[in-house]
Amino acid sequence: MADLILYVGNKNYSSWSFRPWIALEAAGVPFTDKVIPFDFPAGNPEIRKISPTGKVPVLYHGAVRVWESLAIIEYAAELFPDKGIWPADAAARAEARAISMEILSGFHALRNACPMNMRRTPATVDLSDGVRKDVARIETIWKTALARSGGPFLFGAFSAADAMYAPVVNRFEAYCLTTDETVLAYMARMKAHPAWQTWEVAARAEPWIVPEDEA
């Protein structure tokens, strides 16, 4: 089998790169990651060379190219069906995919106001009604899934759904967006995961600073 190569952006900022990276790493999928930093005002031209969209992440597997975070996760789940990337139960798997699509297509107010930043010292910011609405919906998603599964992660074992929400965990912490005890406990478990810690160490060691993402 050809090696998997996952091209990612800055680990400090690239929420879309973080999602498939932590999904693969947590599942024990063998892959190599290559960072292409977006540290140029007009973007890094090297990204256009390896990605049909000019964006990261993108997965190379021999002649196969897969872009977009959720598509990469789905491809890996099909390639490694024994890794448990999605919940084994059909109903849980359907819900996990539904909430993953919800984060994929929604929560624009939260994303725009509170960019992922692994190095940010937690501090509050002024929140719009849209951000508050996004936060409340995400809290409900997490608490509902945790109550049903019993934890420790959204569907019991760490799954693709947790990976899709991993950047939100950082946002909730970095901008002090929640005081809910159940949510905070889930966030602590996410941050304690070895895959998370590996990413965070690399993110904090990066030299690049992108001013527009330093909200």
Side-chain angles (χ1 to χ4, degrees):
M1 180 183 292
D3 292 340
L4 297 180
I5 302 173
L6 182 65
Y7 291 90
V8 300
N10 308 46
K11 290 182 175 179
N12 188 54
Y13 304 112
S14 186
S15 58
W16 292 107
S17 297
F18 190 23
R19 291 178 166 102
W21 189 97
I22 196 171
L24 272 58
E25 181 73 11
V29 170
F31 72 101
T32 299
D33 70 336
K34 295 188 177 182
V35 176
I36 303 180
F38 42 88
D39 60 338
F40 296 88
N44 191 331
E46 293 300 315
I47 297 176
R48 178 66 66 179
K49 293 178 183 179
I50 59 94
S51 171
T53 63
K55 299 177 181 178
V56 285
V58 60
L59 180 74
Y60 277 40
H61 182 216
V64 176
R65 305 288 183 268
V66 188
W67 55 97
E68 300 295 342
S69 296
L70 191 54
I72 293 169
I73 291 172
E74 290 283 15
Y75 182 76
E78 292 181 356
L79 200 61
F80 298 94
D82 60 326
K83 295 294 188 181
I85 292 175
W86 289 106
D89 176 76
R93 189 164 62 251
E95 183 180 346
R97 285 191 165 115
I99 66 171
S100 294
M101 285 301 298
E102 192 170 349
I103 189 63
L104 181 72
S105 61
F107 306 115
H108 298 291
L110 174 63
R111 288 188 205 164
N112 292 335
C114 304
M116 189 178 94
N117 189 328
M118 302 296 286
R119 292 193 298 253
R120 178 183 169 89
T121 300
T124 59
V125 293
D126 291 333
L127 302 180
S128 68
D129 289 343
V131 173
R132 294 181 191 279
K133 182 179 178 180
D134 285 350
V135 168
R137 173 56 188 155
I138 291 166
E139 288 179 330
T140 297
I141 289 171
W142 290 355
K143 291 166 71 174
T144 300
L146 290 166
R148 185 176 293 124
S149 71
F153 299 103
L154 295 179
F155 295 91
F158 190 99
S159 75
D162 299 287
M164 288 298 292
Y165 280 87
V168 179
V169 171
N170 169 255
R171 288 178 165 104
F172 271 35
E173 179 188 41
Y175 302 93
C176 305
L177 298 181
T178 187
T179 58
D180 186 281
E181 291 184 2
T182 299
V183 171
L184 290 170
Y186 168 65
M187 290 165 55
R189 293 191 294 272
M190 285 285 288
K191 291 177 58 192
H193 195 290
W196 177 292
Q197 294 185 349
T198 297
W199 176 279
E200 183 174 0
V201 167
R204 290 183 176 277
E206 288 180 342
W208 310 292
I209 296 176
V210 179
E212 56 265 36
D213 286 333
E214 292 290 329

